[in-house]
Amino acid sequence: MKFAGNVAFISGASKGIGAQIAKQLAKKGIIVLANYSSSDEAANKLQQEIRRDGGECELFKFDVSDFEASKEAIDSIIKQYKKIDYLINNAGITQDNLLMKMSEEEFDKVLNVNLKGAFNIAKHASRWMIKNKFGVIINMSSVIGLMGNAGQSNYAASKAALIGFTKSLAKELGSRNIRVNAVAPGFIETDMTEKLNIIQKKTLVNSVALKRLGTVEDVANLVEFLLSEEASYITGEVINISGGLYI
Ligand code: NAP
């Protein structure tokens, strides 16, 4: 795999799936530009760990739902690195509630981070990918965007929308040698699923064909493959990684 020296921007990389993607890409010699919005301690720990292992990692603290902040970050990256080869739109949040109880703020917040955040970064970064005639974009969706889930109408809507976004970008950018795919994880052990109680977790595991929750490594391995030349004819796809939760 010809990864070394390439530049990857990963949103929501301070924790969970994003942090694991950052670590694995850095080990391949990729320059990792790790975004986060608030978890300074986790982000600094990630940077130290990558640097200790001989990798390159720079931190970019901003809220991906902020259009201007996203533009400023991408502009500063281009000034310094001249290119962005890989974009992983991974930042995501949940604010669960039944529709009857869901506030406008809960709906807007989730859509703004999960969907508009991906738009903000992809819009600014793809300009430079087009110039460079190369790029790979991965949008982190969820099987919830395909299945729906009671109490997660905002989250499901944002993740379903990311799939339409992915397919449209794949059609728009394919002729410029830019591939765009979505990854749709099932239940992966991170802070996001830590909120579930033991009974909810047991019920969930029972509905997974492989009878276990996924790991951040499971997802990062798929992302690594999709970025690689081995995946050079894959675009516009949604790859589920759910252990058979969604078949
Ligand atoms: P996580 O552990 O909660 O981490 C979320 C990451 O997103 C953190 O680094 C967080 O950084 C960052 N973030 C949140 N809001 C942000 C914002 N406005 N701007 C920039 N960064 C922001 O979540 P995860 O489980 O790793 O999930 C990662 C992605 O996978 C999400 O898109 C999620 O929807 C998707 N996913 C997860 C699962 C699962 O089971 N875990 C399943 C399907 C899909 P700060 O704390 O610094 O804000």
Side-chain angles (χ1 to χ4, degrees), residues 10-21 35-43 60-66 89-94 109 112-114 117 121 139-144 155 158-159 162 183-196 213-214 216 219 241:
I10 308 164
S11 72
S14 60
K15 292 186 288 187
I17 294 170
Q20 184 61 27
I21 294 170
N35 156 261
Y36 70 106
S37 67
S38 62
S39 305
D40 295 315
E41 205 182 319
F60 291 84
K61 182 180 180 178
F62 67 93
D63 179 348
V64 291
S65 67
D66 182 332
N89 281 316
N90 167 77
I93 57 165
T94 53
K109 177 90 178 139
N112 279 334
V113 174
N114 297 7
I121 310 287
N139 296 316
M140 199 58 72
S141 182
S142 165
V143 289
I144 298 302
Y155 183 75
S158 72
K159 294 300 184 180
L162 270 181
V183 167
F187 285 91
I188 311 299
E189 278 189 277
T190 67
D191 282 3
M192 194 174 265
T193 43
E194 194 52 41
K195 296 169 193 163
L196 301 169
L213 296 187
V216 290
V219 183
I241 175 155

Side-chain angles (χ1 to χ4, degrees), residues 2-15:
K2 289 182 205 147
F3 272 145
N6 281 351
V7 176
F9 180 88
I10 308 164
S11 72
S14 60
K15 292 186 288 187

Side-chain angles (χ1 to χ4, degrees), residues 9 11 34-37 59-78 84 112 116-125 128:
F9 180 88
S11 72
N35 156 261
Y36 70 106
S37 67
L59 300 177
F60 291 84
K61 182 180 180 178
F62 67 93
D63 179 348
V64 291
S65 67
D66 182 332
F67 186 82
E68 279 310 315
S70 303
K71 183 177 184 314
E72 272 172 33
I74 299 299
D75 285 351
S76 75
I77 287 165
I78 293 301
I84 295 176
N112 279 334
K116 190 167 170 252
F119 162 79
N120 287 344
I121 310 287
K123 179 174 166 59
H124 300 305
W128 302 102

